[in-house]
Amino acid sequence: MGWKEKHISKVRREVLIKTVAQAIPTYSMSIFKIPKLVCDGINSALSKYWWGQTRDEKKIHWINWGRLCTSKRKEGMGFRDIHAFNLAMLAKQAWHLTHEMHLLFYRVYKARYFPSCSFMDAELGANPSMVADLSLKVADLIDTTTNQWDRGKVHTIFEPDTREDILKIKLSNVASRDRLIWKENKANKFSVKTAYQVALRLHHPQIGEHSLASMDRKMWKRIWSLNVPPKVRNFMWRACSNILPTKANLVQKKVQVDPICTVCGQHEETMGHILWECLLARNVWAQVRSRIQKTSSLEASFFLLMRQMMERLSGKEFELSAMIA
């Protein structure tokens, strides 16, 4: 890593990752199923680059890669998970093979891999392409004698959470052919974007939402739309995500440091303390004559403090608070 790369900002690292590193393999991912081990290796390399890690030194990864790959409206950075994106791109090809039968792409694949049946009925041949995969039909999971779910098959094939979702679906008594629909958007039309979100949820099931998720999304959207320099928006994201190297955070990462604030020597150096409650911080905020001064300092985190400011302050005042922080 050269001198310039060592000193590149987080904002520029984000641009390089999204426009170069993650864009290069897009074509290959739309054709081949890349081994998960390779995808994980690429994700690991990108994560290390984002956090500034080099061969000679290790850096703390304050947020795991799965969280960074979520939308900016959900506390993430909007990076791509390579494995999830690969599956989404291949799903697009499968969707074309089931819906776009007039395309040359469909006619070539049908002649080569499933000349006497449909794509959904095709089986893995003796000399399959790297793209080929097995598919399961809904009809295969239904007991034809009772016209109900075959619970034995469902329990054998799927994980517990998926089983429950399947068994909750009520089956119609009217016999009809299977028809593929896409329920991830209102138009019921497949898109790589929504397929990627599905793959991301499956790949990182620990990423969930709490009851106040809608309020949080509004807050993150506001932060990323601030009319301030990009580095300020990035700093606000890190501060509100509580991933700046304060002493309290370093202690949580098992770094041997004194957690007491160096400036005041009285309180633990948390994000809220160093940016709002500390005497030095209060002196800085005191120079601003606006409703910022009336903001409560009793919030449990810096994120909640800034959310309170967002709700009370005008757009200009909130941008001013971001610049001061």
Side-chain angles (χ1 to χ4, degrees):
M1 181 176 287
W3 180 87
K4 291 183 179 179
E5 289 175 313
K6 287 184 179 180
H7 295 82
I8 194 170
S9 68
K10 277 284 191 289
V11 175
R12 293 183 179 181
R13 287 179 188 272
E14 176 191 354
V15 173
L16 282 174
I17 289 174
K18 290 182 176 179
T19 61
V20 180
Q22 293 188 329
I24 290 174
T26 298
Y27 179 73
S28 298
M29 288 190 292
S30 67
I31 301 176
F32 304 109
K33 184 176 181 182
I34 301 174
K36 188 174 182 300
L37 188 63
V38 175
C39 294
D40 290 343
I42 297 174
N43 286 335
S44 177
L46 294 177
S47 180
K48 290 177 181 178
Y49 178 72
W50 168 250
W51 295 113
Q53 184 170 325
T54 64
R55 295 179 181 178
D56 302 326
E57 61 178 348
K58 292 185 177 181
K59 294 291 183 71
I60 296 175
H61 293 209
W62 293 100
I63 296 181
N64 63 49
W65 186 249
R67 179 67 68 179
L68 287 174
C69 288
T70 57
S71 167
K72 284 189 173 182
R73 296 187 182 185
K74 297 181 180 180
E75 195 183 354
M77 281 299 298
F79 293 136
R80 286 178 185 169
D81 180 281
I82 299 298
H83 179 62
F85 188 69
N86 183 205
L87 295 179
M89 294 295 284
L90 293 178
K92 178 183 178 181
Q93 306 292 10
W95 187 263
H96 285 324
L97 289 172
T98 56
H99 289 76
E100 307 290 342
M101 299 179 184
H102 62 282
L103 297 178
L104 176 62
F105 163 71
Y106 171 82
R107 297 201 296 269
V108 171
Y109 265 69
K110 180 171 179 60
R112 176 65 177 84
Y113 297 110
F114 48 98
S116 58
C117 62
S118 68
F119 172 72
M120 297 302 294
D121 293 325
E123 297 182 356
L124 199 63
N127 185 27
S129 163
M130 292 177 65
V131 185
D133 201 354
L134 292 175
S135 299
L136 183 68
K137 296 185 296 181
V138 175
D140 296 332
L141 302 175
I142 299 176
D143 187 333
T144 55
T145 58
T146 62
N147 200 33
Q148 297 297 323
W149 293 114
D150 189 326
R151 291 179 174 269
K153 287 184 179 180
V154 173
H155 280 75
T156 301
I157 298 173
F158 299 99
E159 296 294 326
D161 291 343
T162 308
R163 292 177 207 157
E164 294 179 6
D165 291 338
I166 292 175
L167 296 176
K168 286 178 182 177
I169 301 174
K170 295 183 179 180
L171 297 177
S172 172
N173 293 324
V174 180
S176 60
R177 295 184 61 184
D178 289 344
R179 181 169 60 91
L180 288 176
I181 62 171
W182 188 251
K183 297 184 65 177
E184 294 298 320
N185 54 32
K186 294 181 180 179
N188 289 334
K189 292 184 178 180
F190 179 88
S191 69
V192 174
K193 181 179 179 180
T194 53
Y196 172 72
Q197 295 300 325
V198 173
L200 195 63
R201 291 199 301 267
L202 294 174
H203 192 40
H204 300 283
Q206 72 277 12
I207 300 176
E209 292 189 346
H210 52 80
S211 57
L212 299 177
S214 59
M215 295 179 63
D216 288 356
R217 284 196 295 270
K218 183 179 179 181
M219 175 64 177
W220 293 120
K221 180 181 178 181
R222 184 72 177 275
I223 288 175
W224 288 113
S225 61
L226 289 172
N227 186 24
V228 296
K231 63 180 180 181
V232 175
R233 292 196 293 268
N234 187 273
F235 177 84
M236 284 292 292
W237 168 73
R238 288 188 289 161
C240 290
S241 297
N242 195 27
I243 58 173
L244 289 174
T246 62
K247 289 188 174 183
N249 285 342
L250 290 172
V251 169
Q252 289 184 352
K253 292 293 184 178
K254 310 301 181 184
V255 178
Q256 299 297 321
V257 294
D258 182 3
I260 301 301
C261 176
T262 307
V263 178
C264 67
Q266 297 178 359
H267 303 282
E268 186 180 31
E269 188 185 277
T270 62
M271 195 68 62
H273 174 79
I274 198 67
L275 294 179
W276 179 258
E277 298 171 352
C278 185
L279 180 61
L280 180 61
R282 294 307 303 166
N283 288 337
V284 174
W285 288 105
Q287 304 302 314
V288 184
R289 294 185 178 181
S290 71
R291 289 182 294 174
I292 294 175
Q293 294 295 330
K294 298 180 181 180
T295 304
S296 171
S297 60
L298 301 177
E299 295 292 355
S301 68
F302 185 73
F303 174 80
L304 295 177
L305 176 69
M306 296 308 294
R307 192 170 73 182
Q308 181 189 151
M309 286 190 182
M310 179 193 72
E311 294 170 350
R312 296 186 56 184
L313 305 179
S314 65
K316 291 293 183 181
E317 288 176 324
F318 189 60
E319 289 172 358
L320 177 61
S321 67
M323 292 294 293
I324 295 173

